């Protein structure tokens, strides 16, 4: 049995069309058909049902495809690991991060890293903590910059920095001229929040719970920029981190006193999962960068 036969089987199983599969593999239809026939003889059972020109996997084919997919995945992974070792300053890093970090922190961080590693590329994903954690677990992301949540092994998380949270009000709001404010003073205001499940929403809900306040929520947004825009339009107030890069001409940012209003951001990865040299370099760069600021 030749390795090439596994590739032929996998391609035909996916396309279930001999002509298209042969074209994708750059071989003739007859060569593909002969290879699959020999492959089935060696496996001991037919893997496809053939009806005229149509072909599709049978029950044995579906079972065997799972094993072939797993084998091909491991083969390609091993091949990639070797390529990474041969070219440690190239490759791609898959990074997930919170929406609220996207305005300037992530671009600045990547730009700084790429001054030393210009050939390393990035595939970026952003969203709420629970979503990017799911992508991390599925192997779609290598690293995530997120707030702490309920994370169980093999997920590893290392704190990097804390950032202050501010009261955000419209420019002409009665609180706009305040240097600082308490949560209690804001208790009767209409609040604009991020949607439920977002880590920043959870942090703010905990602050209100500790203060014994049940805020009146009038709007919910999926991004901090949207929340800030709704506040600027006079539709309510909010609590957000310092949103550098967002137009704040119609907003007032006020310090919150009386409580430790901040959120923690850290780096998450999967313990024991292979990380390419490019990803390892970026991971260490991020840790050194933020731990050096403390």
């Amino acid at each position: 049995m030749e390795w090439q036969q596994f590739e032929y089987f996998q391609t035909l199983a996916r396309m279930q069309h001999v002509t298209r599969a042969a074209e994708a593999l750059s071989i003739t239809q007859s060569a593909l058909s002969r290879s699959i026939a020999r492959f089935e003889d060696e496996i001991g059972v037919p893997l496809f049902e053939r009806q005229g020109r149509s072909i599709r996997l049978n029950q044995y084919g579906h079972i065997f495809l799972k094993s072939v997919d797993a084998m091909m995945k491991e083969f390609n992974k091993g091949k990639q690991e070797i390529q990474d070792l041969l070219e440690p300053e190239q490759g791609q890093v898959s990074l997930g991060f919170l929406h609220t970090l996207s305005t300037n922190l992530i671009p600045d961080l990547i730009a700084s890293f790429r001054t030393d590693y210009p050939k390393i590329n990035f595939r970026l994903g952003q969203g709420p903590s629970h979503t990017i954690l799911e992508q991390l677990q599925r192997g779609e992301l290598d690293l995530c910059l997120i707030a702490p949540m309920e994370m169980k092994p093999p997920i590893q998380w290392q704190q990097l920095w804390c950032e202050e949270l501010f009261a955000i009000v419209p420019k002409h709001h009665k609180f706009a001229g305040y240097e600082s404010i308490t949560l209690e003073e804001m208790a009767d205001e209409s609040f604009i929040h991020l949607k439920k499940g977002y880590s920043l929403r959870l942090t703010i809900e905990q602050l209100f719970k500790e203060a014994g306040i049940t805020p009146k929520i009038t709007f919910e947004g999926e991004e901090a920029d949207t929340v800030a825009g709704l506040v600027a339009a006079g539709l309510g107030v909010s609590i957000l981190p310092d949103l550098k890069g967002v137009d704040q001409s119609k907003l007032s940012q006020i310090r919150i006193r009386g409580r430790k209003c901040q959120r923690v951001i850290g780096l998450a990865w999967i313990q024991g999962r292979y990380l390419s040299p490019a990803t390892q370099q970026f991971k260490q760069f991020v840790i050194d960068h933020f731990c050096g600021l403390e």
Side-chain angles (χ1 to χ4, degrees), residues 32-52:
L32 176 60
S33 296
R34 285 196 302 272
S35 176
I36 294 297
R38 288 197 306 272
F39 193 65
E40 289 176 318
D41 286 342
E42 293 188 51
I43 298 299
V45 292
L47 301 171
F48 295 91
E49 289 182 6
R50 298 166 177 83
Q51 294 179 340

Side-chain angles (χ1 to χ4, degrees), residues 234-290:
L235 299 177
V237 303
S238 191
I239 296 176
L240 294 171
D242 186 4
L243 297 177
K244 295 183 176 75
V246 172
D247 181 13
Q248 299 190 29
S249 61
K250 296 181 181 179
L251 299 170
S252 286
Q253 184 170 283
I254 310 164
R255 273 208 157 84
I256 301 172
R257 69 178 187 275
R259 294 184 183 278
K260 198 172 184 179
C261 289
Q262 62 180 28
R263 71 166 175 175
V264 179
I265 301 296
L267 186 68
W269 66 94
I270 300 294
Q271 184 68 31
R273 179 181 290 169
Y274 170 75
L275 295 179
S276 69
T279 303
Q280 290 278 20
Q281 286 167 335
F282 182 71
K283 176 187 170 187
Q284 195 58 51
F285 171 83
V286 171
I287 292 171
D288 292 344
H289 176 81
F290 288 104

Side-chain angles (χ1 to χ4, degrees), residues 7-33 36 48 55:
E7 183 183 1
Y8 288 178
F9 166 71
Q10 188 186 49
T11 302
L12 182 58
R14 293 296 180 207
M15 292 188 169
Q16 301 199 53
H17 193 287
V18 175
T19 303
R20 288 201 295 267
E23 288 174 355
L25 293 165
S26 299
I27 60 174
T28 64
Q29 294 182 49
S30 57
L32 176 60
S33 296
I36 294 297
F48 295 91
I55 186 169

